[in-house]
PDB file of all heavy atoms in Angstrom:
ATOM      1  N   VAL A  25       0.845  -1.197   0.000  1.00 98.00           N
ATOM      2  CA  VAL A  25       0.000   0.000   0.000  1.00 98.00           C
ATOM      3  C   VAL A  25       0.880   1.247   0.000  1.00 98.00           C
ATOM      4  O   VAL A  25       1.596   1.495   0.971  1.00 98.00           O
ATOM      5  CB  VAL A  25      -0.928   0.029   1.233  1.00 98.00           C
ATOM      6  CG1 VAL A  25      -1.760   1.315   1.239  1.00 98.00           C
ATOM      7  CG2 VAL A  25      -1.826  -1.192   1.254  1.00 98.00           C
ATOM      8  N   PRO A  26       0.863   2.035  -1.082  1.00 98.00           N
ATOM      9  CA  PRO A  26       1.541   3.330  -1.028  1.00 98.00           C
ATOM     10  C   PRO A  26       0.692   4.315  -0.218  1.00 98.00           C
ATOM     11  O   PRO A  26      -0.494   4.508  -0.508  1.00 98.00           O
ATOM     12  CB  PRO A  26       1.611   3.757  -2.506  1.00 98.00           C
ATOM     13  CG  PRO A  26       1.287   2.527  -3.303  1.00 98.00           C
ATOM     14  CD  PRO A  26       0.357   1.732  -2.430  1.00 98.00           C
ATOM     15  N   GLY A  27       1.288   4.891   0.814  1.00 98.00           N
ATOM     16  CA  GLY A  27       0.570   5.833   1.663  1.00 98.00           C
ATOM     17  C   GLY A  27       1.393   7.086   1.883  1.00 98.00           C
ATOM     18  O   GLY A  27       2.627   7.048   1.827  1.00 98.00           O
ATOM     19  N   TYR A  28       0.712   8.196   2.115  1.00 98.00           N
ATOM     20  CA  TYR A  28       1.464   9.456   2.255  1.00 98.00           C
ATOM     21  C   TYR A  28       0.940  10.302   3.401  1.00 98.00           C
ATOM     22  O   TYR A  28      -0.184  10.139   3.883  1.00 98.00           O
ATOM     23  CB  TYR A  28       1.423  10.245   0.946  1.00 98.00           C
ATOM     24  CG  TYR A  28       0.206  11.126   0.730  1.00 98.00           C
ATOM     25  CD1 TYR A  28       0.246  12.492   1.006  1.00 98.00           C
ATOM     26  CD2 TYR A  28      -0.988  10.603   0.235  1.00 98.00           C
ATOM     27  CE1 TYR A  28      -0.862  13.305   0.793  1.00 98.00           C
ATOM     28  CE2 TYR A  28      -2.094  11.407   0.014  1.00 98.00           C
ATOM     29  CZ  TYR A  28      -2.028  12.761   0.296  1.00 98.00           C
ATOM     30  OH  TYR A  28      -3.126  13.561   0.096  1.00 98.00           O
ATOM     31  N   ILE A  29       1.798  11.218   3.820  1.00 97.00           N
ATOM     32  CA  ILE A  29       1.450  12.284   4.764  1.00 97.00           C
ATOM     33  C   ILE A  29       2.060  13.556   4.211  1.00 97.00           C
ATOM     34  O   ILE A  29       3.189  13.553   3.704  1.00 97.00           O
ATOM     35  CB  ILE A  29       1.991  12.007   6.181  1.00 97.00           C
ATOM     36  CG1 ILE A  29       1.394  10.709   6.742  1.00 97.00           C
ATOM     37  CG2 ILE A  29       1.670  13.173   7.119  1.00 97.00           C
ATOM     38  CD1 ILE A  29       1.933  10.320   8.111  1.00 97.00           C
ATOM     39  N   GLY A  30       1.330  14.663   4.319  1.00 95.00           N
ATOM     40  CA  GLY A  30       1.818  15.942   3.817  1.00 95.00           C
ATOM     41  C   GLY A  30       2.392  16.809   4.924  1.00 95.00           C
ATOM     42  O   GLY A  30       1.911  16.799   6.063  1.00 95.00           O
ATOM     43  N   PHE A  31       3.443  17.557   4.570  1.00 94.00           N
ATOM     44  CA  PHE A  31       4.102  18.473   5.509  1.00 94.00           C
ATOM     45  C   PHE A  31       4.351  19.795   4.792  1.00 94.00           C
ATOM     46  O   PHE A  31       4.983  19.810   3.730  1.00 94.00           O
ATOM     47  CB  PHE A  31       5.442  17.897   5.992  1.00 94.00           C
ATOM     48  CG  PHE A  31       5.341  16.555   6.651  1.00 94.00           C
ATOM     49  CD1 PHE A  31       5.368  15.385   5.891  1.00 94.00           C
ATOM     50  CD2 PHE A  31       5.208  16.438   8.027  1.00 94.00           C
ATOM     51  CE1 PHE A  31       5.272  14.133   6.487  1.00 94.00           C
ATOM     52  CE2 PHE A  31       5.106  15.188   8.632  1.00 94.00           C
ATOM     53  CZ  PHE A  31       5.136  14.041   7.860  1.00 94.00           C
ATOM     54  N   ASP A  32       3.870  20.886   5.352  1.00 89.00           N
ATOM     55  CA  ASP A  32       4.172  22.188   4.773  1.00 89.00           C
ATOM     56  C   ASP A  32       5.556  22.646   5.214  1.00 89.00           C
ATOM     57  O   ASP A  32       6.021  22.324   6.306  1.00 89.00           O
ATOM     58  CB  ASP A  32       3.117  23.221   5.169  1.00 89.00           C
ATOM     59  CG  ASP A  32       1.879  23.148   4.281  1.00 89.00           C
ATOM     60  OD1 ASP A  32       1.948  22.478   3.233  1.00 89.00           O
ATOM     61  OD2 ASP A  32       0.855  23.758   4.629  1.00 89.00           O
ATOM     62  N   ALA A  33       6.207  23.408   4.333  1.00 92.00           N
ATOM     63  CA  ALA A  33       7.608  23.800   4.553  1.00 92.00           C
ATOM     64  C   ALA A  33       7.687  25.229   5.078  1.00 92.00           C
ATOM     65  O   ALA A  33       8.266  26.115   4.454  1.00 92.00           O
ATOM     66  CB  ALA A  33       8.391  23.650   3.249  1.00 92.00           C
ATOM     67  N   THR A  34       7.131  25.448   6.261  1.00 90.00           N
ATOM     68  CA  THR A  34       7.085  26.797   6.815  1.00 90.00           C
ATOM     69  C   THR A  34       8.331  27.163   7.622  1.00 90.00           C
ATOM     70  O   THR A  34       8.497  28.313   8.031  1.00 90.00           O
ATOM     71  CB  THR A  34       5.851  26.962   7.712  1.00 90.00           C
ATOM     72  OG1 THR A  34       5.852  25.930   8.703  1.00 90.00           O
ATOM     73  CG2 THR A  34       4.572  26.848   6.880  1.00 90.00           C
ATOM     74  N   ALA A  35       9.205  26.189   7.886  1.00 92.00           N
ATOM     75  CA  ALA A  35      10.431  26.418   8.652  1.00 92.00           C
ATOM     76  C   ALA A  35      11.484  25.422   8.155  1.00 92.00           C
ATOM     77  O   ALA A  35      11.142  24.426   7.511  1.00 92.00           O
ATOM     78  CB  ALA A  35      10.183  26.229  10.149  1.00 92.00           C
ATOM     79  N   PRO A  36      12.763  25.663   8.462  1.00 94.00           N
ATOM     80  CA  PRO A  36      13.816  24.750   7.985  1.00 94.00           C
ATOM     81  C   PRO A  36      13.861  23.427   8.728  1.00 94.00           C
ATOM     82  O   PRO A  36      14.669  22.561   8.415  1.00 94.00           O
ATOM     83  CB  PRO A  36      15.104  25.551   8.214  1.00 94.00           C
ATOM     84  CG  PRO A  36      14.774  26.525   9.285  1.00 94.00           C
ATOM     85  CD  PRO A  36      13.329  26.868   9.102  1.00 94.00           C
ATOM     86  N   SER A  37      13.003  23.247   9.729  1.00 95.00           N
ATOM     87  CA  SER A  37      12.922  21.994  10.468  1.00 95.00           C
ATOM     88  C   SER A  37      11.491  21.796  10.924  1.00 95.00           C
ATOM     89  O   SER A  37      10.763  22.761  11.183  1.00 95.00           O
ATOM     90  CB  SER A  37      13.848  22.021  11.692  1.00 95.00           C
ATOM     91  OG  SER A  37      13.623  20.909  12.547  1.00 95.00           O
ATOM     92  N   LEU A  38      11.070  20.542  11.018  1.00 95.00           N
ATOM     93  CA  LEU A  38       9.829  20.213  11.702  1.00 95.00           C
ATOM     94  C   LEU A  38      10.116  20.137  13.205  1.00 95.00           C
ATOM     95  O   LEU A  38      11.269  20.001  13.616  1.00 95.00           O
ATOM     96  CB  LEU A  38       9.291  18.872  11.213  1.00 95.00           C
ATOM     97  CG  LEU A  38       8.959  18.776   9.714  1.00 95.00           C
ATOM     98  CD1 LEU A  38       8.591  17.341   9.342  1.00 95.00           C
ATOM     99  CD2 LEU A  38       7.841  19.727   9.327  1.00 95.00           C
ATOM    100  N   HIS A  39       9.078  20.228  14.033  1.00 93.00           N
ATOM    101  CA  HIS A  39       9.295  20.032  15.469  1.00 93.00           C
ATOM    102  C   HIS A  39       8.647  18.723  15.908  1.00 93.00           C
ATOM    103  O   HIS A  39       8.055  18.006  15.090  1.00 93.00           O
ATOM    104  CB  HIS A  39       8.827  21.231  16.293  1.00 93.00           C
ATOM    105  CG  HIS A  39       7.372  21.579  16.162  1.00 93.00           C
ATOM    106  ND1 HIS A  39       6.360  20.739  16.525  1.00 93.00           N
ATOM    107  CD2 HIS A  39       6.772  22.703  15.707  1.00 93.00           C
ATOM    108  CE1 HIS A  39       5.197  21.299  16.329  1.00 93.00           C
ATOM    109  NE2 HIS A  39       5.407  22.502  15.815  1.00 93.00           N
ATOM    110  N   ILE A  40       8.767  18.398  17.180  1.00 94.00           N
ATOM    111  CA  ILE A  40       8.356  17.064  17.611  1.00 94.00           C
ATOM    112  C   ILE A  40       6.854  16.845  17.503  1.00 94.00           C
ATOM    113  O   ILE A  40       6.396  15.708  17.578  1.00 94.00           O
ATOM    114  CB  ILE A  40       8.842  16.741  19.041  1.00 94.00           C
ATOM    115  CG1 ILE A  40       8.257  17.725  20.056  1.00 94.00           C
ATOM    116  CG2 ILE A  40      10.344  16.692  19.110  1.00 94.00           C
ATOM    117  CD1 ILE A  40       8.480  17.289  21.480  1.00 94.00           C
ATOM    118  N   GLY A  41       6.085  17.902  17.294  1.00 90.00           N
ATOM    119  CA  GLY A  41       4.668  17.725  17.028  1.00 90.00           C
ATOM    120  C   GLY A  41       4.413  16.946  15.750  1.00 90.00           C
ATOM    121  O   GLY A  41       3.359  16.337  15.577  1.00 90.00           O
ATOM    122  N   SER A  42       5.396  16.943  14.834  1.00 94.00           N
ATOM    123  CA  SER A  42       5.288  16.195  13.572  1.00 94.00           C
ATOM    124  C   SER A  42       5.907  14.804  13.666  1.00 94.00           C
ATOM    125  O   SER A  42       5.792  14.022  12.724  1.00 94.00           O
ATOM    126  CB  SER A  42       5.995  16.968  12.437  1.00 94.00           C
ATOM    127  OG  SER A  42       5.385  18.210  12.205  1.00 94.00           O
ATOM    128  N   LEU A  43       6.551  14.499  14.791  1.00 96.00           N
ATOM    129  CA  LEU A  43       7.299  13.242  14.869  1.00 96.00           C
ATOM    130  C   LEU A  43       6.381  12.029  14.820  1.00 96.00           C
ATOM    131  O   LEU A  43       6.747  10.994  14.254  1.00 96.00           O
ATOM    132  CB  LEU A  43       8.166  13.218  16.129  1.00 96.00           C
ATOM    133  CG  LEU A  43       9.132  12.035  16.262  1.00 96.00           C
ATOM    134  CD1 LEU A  43      10.039  11.915  15.043  1.00 96.00           C
ATOM    135  CD2 LEU A  43       9.969  12.164  17.537  1.00 96.00           C
ATOM    136  N   VAL A  44       5.185  12.130  15.386  1.00 95.00           N
ATOM    137  CA  VAL A  44       4.280  10.983  15.339  1.00 95.00           C
ATOM    138  C   VAL A  44       3.889  10.677  13.893  1.00 95.00           C
ATOM    139  O   VAL A  44       3.749   9.514  13.504  1.00 95.00           O
ATOM    140  CB  VAL A  44       3.033  11.214  16.228  1.00 95.00           C
ATOM    141  CG1 VAL A  44       2.134  12.294  15.673  1.00 95.00           C
ATOM    142  CG2 VAL A  44       2.262   9.915  16.418  1.00 95.00           C
ATOM    143  N   GLN A  45       3.753  11.720  13.050  1.00 96.00           N
ATOM    144  CA  GLN A  45       3.434  11.495  11.634  1.00 96.00           C
ATOM    145  C   GLN A  45       4.616  10.829  10.919  1.00 96.00           C
ATOM    146  O   GLN A  45       4.429   9.921  10.095  1.00 96.00           O
ATOM    147  CB  GLN A  45       3.092  12.816  10.944  1.00 96.00           C
ATOM    148  CG  GLN A  45       2.160  13.731  11.705  1.00 96.00           C
ATOM    149  CD  GLN A  45       0.847  13.085  12.071  1.00 96.00           C
ATOM    150  OE1 GLN A  45       0.368  12.184  11.381  1.00 96.00           O
ATOM    151  NE2 GLN A  45       0.264  13.510  13.179  1.00 96.00           N
ATOM    152  N   ILE A  46       5.816  11.284  11.223  1.00 97.00           N
ATOM    153  CA  ILE A  46       7.003  10.693  10.607  1.00 97.00           C
ATOM    154  C   ILE A  46       7.131   9.224  11.018  1.00 97.00           C
ATOM    155  O   ILE A  46       7.455   8.351  10.200  1.00 97.00           O
ATOM    156  CB  ILE A  46       8.264  11.480  11.006  1.00 97.00           C
ATOM    157  CG1 ILE A  46       8.143  12.941  10.554  1.00 97.00           C
ATOM    158  CG2 ILE A  46       9.514  10.846  10.384  1.00 97.00           C
ATOM    159  CD1 ILE A  46       9.264  13.835  11.053  1.00 97.00           C
ATOM    160  N   MET A  47       6.857   8.945  12.291  1.00 98.00           N
ATOM    161  CA  MET A  47       6.919   7.559  12.752  1.00 98.00           C
ATOM    162  C   MET A  47       5.841   6.704  12.093  1.00 98.00           C
ATOM    163  O   MET A  47       6.037   5.502  11.871  1.00 98.00           O
ATOM    164  CB  MET A  47       6.788   7.506  14.275  1.00 98.00           C
ATOM    165  CG  MET A  47       7.969   8.100  15.042  1.00 98.00           C
ATOM    166  SD  MET A  47       9.555   7.283  14.695  1.00 98.00           S
ATOM    167  CE  MET A  47       9.271   5.658  15.428  1.00 98.00           C
ATOM    168  N   MET A  48       4.703   7.289  11.764  1.00 97.00           N
ATOM    169  CA  MET A  48       3.668   6.545  11.031  1.00 97.00           C
ATOM    170  C   MET A  48       4.211   6.081   9.683  1.00 97.00           C
ATOM    171  O   MET A  48       3.968   4.944   9.255  1.00 97.00           O
ATOM    172  CB  MET A  48       2.450   7.440  10.809  1.00 97.00           C
ATOM    173  CG  MET A  48       1.651   7.692  12.054  1.00 97.00           C
ATOM    174  SD  MET A  48       0.301   6.527  12.234  1.00 97.00           S
ATOM    175  CE  MET A  48      -0.873   7.212  11.088  1.00 97.00           C
ATOM    176  N   LEU A  49       4.939   6.946   8.990  1.00 98.00           N
ATOM    177  CA  LEU A  49       5.539   6.560   7.714  1.00 98.00           C
ATOM    178  C   LEU A  49       6.587   5.474   7.930  1.00 98.00           C
ATOM    179  O   LEU A  49       6.729   4.559   7.108  1.00 98.00           O
ATOM    180  CB  LEU A  49       6.152   7.782   7.032  1.00 98.00           C
ATOM    181  CG  LEU A  49       5.152   8.836   6.524  1.00 98.00           C
ATOM    182  CD1 LEU A  49       5.885  10.076   6.028  1.00 98.00           C
ATOM    183  CD2 LEU A  49       4.268   8.266   5.411  1.00 98.00           C
ATOM    184  N   ARG A  50       7.327   5.572   9.021  1.00 98.00           N
ATOM    185  CA  ARG A  50       8.310   4.541   9.354  1.00 98.00           C
ATOM    186  C   ARG A  50       7.615   3.193   9.586  1.00 98.00           C
ATOM    187  O   ARG A  50       8.083   2.146   9.107  1.00 98.00           O
ATOM    188  CB  ARG A  50       9.105   4.969  10.593  1.00 98.00           C
ATOM    189  CG  ARG A  50      10.216   3.988  11.008  1.00 98.00           C
ATOM    190  CD  ARG A  50      10.994   4.586  12.187  1.00 98.00           C
ATOM    191  NE  ARG A  50      11.969   3.670  12.726  1.00 98.00           N
ATOM    192  CZ  ARG A  50      13.220   3.531  12.266  1.00 98.00           C
ATOM    193  NH1 ARG A  50      13.627   4.251  11.227  1.00 98.00           N
ATOM    194  NH2 ARG A  50      14.066   2.686  12.833  1.00 98.00           N
ATOM    195  N   ARG A  51       6.500   3.206  10.323  1.00 98.00           N
ATOM    196  CA  ARG A  51       5.750   1.967  10.561  1.00 98.00           C
ATOM    197  C   ARG A  51       5.203   1.408   9.249  1.00 98.00           C
ATOM    198  O   ARG A  51       5.163   0.186   9.063  1.00 98.00           O
ATOM    199  CB  ARG A  51       4.592   2.209  11.525  1.00 98.00           C
ATOM    200  CG  ARG A  51       4.963   2.801  12.880  1.00 98.00           C
ATOM    201  CD  ARG A  51       6.012   2.017  13.621  1.00 98.00           C
ATOM    202  NE  ARG A  51       6.264   2.571  14.950  1.00 98.00           N
ATOM    203  CZ  ARG A  51       7.394   2.437  15.611  1.00 98.00           C
ATOM    204  NH1 ARG A  51       8.409   1.780  15.071  1.00 98.00           N
ATOM    205  NH2 ARG A  51       7.548   2.967  16.821  1.00 98.00           N
ATOM    206  N   LEU A  52       4.778   2.283   8.361  1.00 98.00           N
ATOM    207  CA  LEU A  52       4.285   1.841   7.059  1.00 98.00           C
ATOM    208  C   LEU A  52       5.373   1.053   6.334  1.00 98.00           C
ATOM    209  O   LEU A  52       5.124  -0.032   5.796  1.00 98.00           O
ATOM    210  CB  LEU A  52       3.863   3.070   6.241  1.00 98.00           C
ATOM    211  CG  LEU A  52       3.074   2.846   4.951  1.00 98.00           C
ATOM    212  CD1 LEU A  52       1.669   2.359   5.252  1.00 98.00           C
ATOM    213  CD2 LEU A  52       3.012   4.138   4.128  1.00 98.00           C
ATOM    214  N   GLN A  53       6.590   1.582   6.340  1.00 98.00           N
ATOM    215  CA  GLN A  53       7.701   0.910   5.668  1.00 98.00           C
ATOM    216  C   GLN A  53       8.121  -0.354   6.412  1.00 98.00           C
ATOM    217  O   GLN A  53       8.436  -1.376   5.786  1.00 98.00           O
ATOM    218  CB  GLN A  53       8.885   1.870   5.540  1.00 98.00           C
ATOM    219  CG  GLN A  53      10.006   1.356   4.663  1.00 98.00           C
ATOM    220  CD  GLN A  53      11.023   2.438   4.329  1.00 98.00           C
ATOM    221  OE1 GLN A  53      11.570   3.087   5.210  1.00 98.00           O
ATOM    222  NE2 GLN A  53      11.274   2.641   3.042  1.00 98.00           N
ATOM    223  N   GLN A  54       8.108  -0.316   7.729  1.00 98.00           N
ATOM    224  CA  GLN A  54       8.502  -1.487   8.511  1.00 98.00           C
ATOM    225  C   GLN A  54       7.584  -2.687   8.268  1.00 98.00           C
ATOM    226  O   GLN A  54       8.005  -3.834   8.449  1.00 98.00           O
ATOM    227  CB  GLN A  54       8.506  -1.141  10.009  1.00 98.00           C
ATOM    228  CG  GLN A  54       9.670  -0.267  10.430  1.00 98.00           C
ATOM    229  CD  GLN A  54       9.565   0.170  11.890  1.00 98.00           C
ATOM    230  OE1 GLN A  54       8.470   0.239  12.458  1.00 98.00           O
ATOM    231  NE2 GLN A  54      10.705   0.477  12.507  1.00 98.00           N
ATOM    232  N   THR A  55       6.356  -2.423   7.875  1.00 98.00           N
ATOM    233  CA  THR A  55       5.410  -3.521   7.641  1.00 98.00           C
ATOM    234  C   THR A  55       5.259  -3.843   6.153  1.00 98.00           C
ATOM    235  O   THR A  55       4.285  -4.479   5.744  1.00 98.00           O
ATOM    236  CB  THR A  55       4.030  -3.185   8.246  1.00 98.00           C
ATOM    237  OG1 THR A  55       3.600  -1.889   7.790  1.00 98.00           O
ATOM    238  CG2 THR A  55       4.091  -3.191   9.762  1.00 98.00           C
ATOM    239  N   GLY A  56       6.228  -3.410   5.337  1.00 97.00           N
ATOM    240  CA  GLY A  56       6.274  -3.826   3.950  1.00 97.00           C
ATOM    241  C   GLY A  56       5.493  -2.975   2.973  1.00 97.00           C
ATOM    242  O   GLY A  56       5.176  -3.432   1.862  1.00 97.00           O
ATOM    243  N   HIS A  57       5.222  -1.721   3.332  1.00 98.00           N
ATOM    244  CA  HIS A  57       4.477  -0.835   2.442  1.00 98.00           C
ATOM    245  C   HIS A  57       5.345   0.356   2.034  1.00 98.00           C
ATOM    246  O   HIS A  57       6.486   0.478   2.475  1.00 98.00           O
ATOM    247  CB  HIS A  57       3.175  -0.396   3.108  1.00 98.00           C
ATOM    248  CG  HIS A  57       2.301  -1.559   3.477  1.00 98.00           C
ATOM    249  ND1 HIS A  57       1.544  -2.237   2.555  1.00 98.00           N
ATOM    250  CD2 HIS A  57       2.113  -2.189   4.665  1.00 98.00           C
ATOM    251  CE1 HIS A  57       0.903  -3.224   3.155  1.00 98.00           C
ATOM    252  NE2 HIS A  57       1.239  -3.229   4.438  1.00 98.00           N
ATOM    253  N   LYS A  58       4.814   1.227   1.195  1.00 98.00           N
ATOM    254  CA  LYS A  58       5.623   2.288   0.581  1.00 98.00           C
ATOM    255  C   LYS A  58       5.252   3.663   1.144  1.00 98.00           C
ATOM    256  O   LYS A  58       4.148   4.160   0.899  1.00 98.00           O
ATOM    257  CB  LYS A  58       5.432   2.300  -0.928  1.00 98.00           C
ATOM    258  CG  LYS A  58       6.374   3.261  -1.664  1.00 98.00           C
ATOM    259  CD  LYS A  58       6.212   3.151  -3.167  1.00 98.00           C
ATOM    260  CE  LYS A  58       7.234   4.024  -3.903  1.00 98.00           C
ATOM    261  NZ  LYS A  58       8.613   3.505  -3.725  1.00 98.00           N
ATOM    262  N   PRO A  59       6.164   4.307   1.883  1.00 98.00           N
ATOM    263  CA  PRO A  59       5.885   5.640   2.411  1.00 98.00           C
ATOM    264  C   PRO A  59       6.221   6.737   1.395  1.00 98.00           C
ATOM    265  O   PRO A  59       7.285   6.712   0.759  1.00 98.00           O
ATOM    266  CB  PRO A  59       6.795   5.737   3.635  1.00 98.00           C
ATOM    267  CG  PRO A  59       7.936   4.821   3.342  1.00 98.00           C
ATOM    268  CD  PRO A  59       7.439   3.763   2.396  1.00 98.00           C
ATOM    269  N   ILE A  60       5.317   7.687   1.258  1.00 98.00           N
ATOM    270  CA  ILE A  60       5.534   8.833   0.378  1.00 98.00           C
ATOM    271  C   ILE A  60       5.444  10.091   1.233  1.00 98.00           C
ATOM    272  O   ILE A  60       4.432  10.342   1.895  1.00 98.00           O
ATOM    273  CB  ILE A  60       4.505   8.867  -0.762  1.00 98.00           C
ATOM    274  CG1 ILE A  60       4.705   7.641  -1.669  1.00 98.00           C
ATOM    275  CG2 ILE A  60       4.618  10.157  -1.572  1.00 98.00           C
ATOM    276  CD1 ILE A  60       3.611   7.423  -2.670  1.00 98.00           C
ATOM    277  N   VAL A  61       6.527  10.853   1.234  1.00 98.00           N
ATOM    278  CA  VAL A  61       6.582  12.114   1.971  1.00 98.00           C
ATOM    279  C   VAL A  61       6.179  13.223   1.008  1.00 98.00           C
ATOM    280  O   VAL A  61       6.879  13.493   0.033  1.00 98.00           O
ATOM    281  CB  VAL A  61       7.993  12.387   2.523  1.00 98.00           C
ATOM    282  CG1 VAL A  61       7.998  13.673   3.345  1.00 98.00           C
ATOM    283  CG2 VAL A  61       8.506  11.207   3.339  1.00 98.00           C
ATOM    284  N   LEU A  62       5.056  13.835   1.262  1.00 97.00           N
ATOM    285  CA  LEU A  62       4.599  14.937   0.408  1.00 97.00           C
ATOM    286  C   LEU A  62       5.010  16.260   1.040  1.00 97.00           C
ATOM    287  O   LEU A  62       4.519  16.628   2.108  1.00 97.00           O
ATOM    288  CB  LEU A  62       3.081  14.892   0.238  1.00 97.00           C
ATOM    289  CG  LEU A  62       2.482  16.110  -0.481  1.00 97.00           C
ATOM    290  CD1 LEU A  62       2.980  16.191  -1.924  1.00 97.00           C
ATOM    291  CD2 LEU A  62       0.958  16.077  -0.444  1.00 97.00           C
ATOM    292  N   MET A  63       5.914  16.964   0.397  1.00 96.00           N
ATOM    293  CA  MET A  63       6.276  18.298   0.841  1.00 96.00           C
ATOM    294  C   MET A  63       5.363  19.308   0.146  1.00 96.00           C
ATOM    295  O   MET A  63       5.173  19.256  -1.069  1.00 96.00           O
ATOM    296  CB  MET A  63       7.740  18.606   0.518  1.00 96.00           C
ATOM    297  CG  MET A  63       8.741  17.786   1.304  1.00 96.00           C
ATOM    298  SD  MET A  63       8.474  17.789   3.104  1.00 96.00           S
ATOM    299  CE  MET A  63       8.410  19.542   3.449  1.00 96.00           C
TER     300      MET A  63
END
């Protein structure tokens, strides 16, 4: 399953409020699926 999460580029770094979303993409890949990071 290709799945994505979107992140707006309002600063040169995300903060830890976005870390749960990033970890969701990591879990997607860990279980054999395709993570797509939408900037």
Side-chain angles (χ1 to χ4, degrees):
V25 178
Y28 85 98
I29 299 177
F31 303 86
D32 278 347
T34 54
S37 170
L38 300 173
H39 60 62
I40 61 169
S42 297
L43 187 55
V44 68
Q45 315 304 332
I46 300 173
M47 292 300 293
M48 288 266 282
L49 291 173
R50 182 176 174 86
R51 304 306 184 206
L52 191 70
Q53 189 168 54
Q54 286 174 335
T55 51
H57 302 283
K58 187 176 185 68
I60 295 169
V61 183
L62 172 64
M63 292 309 307

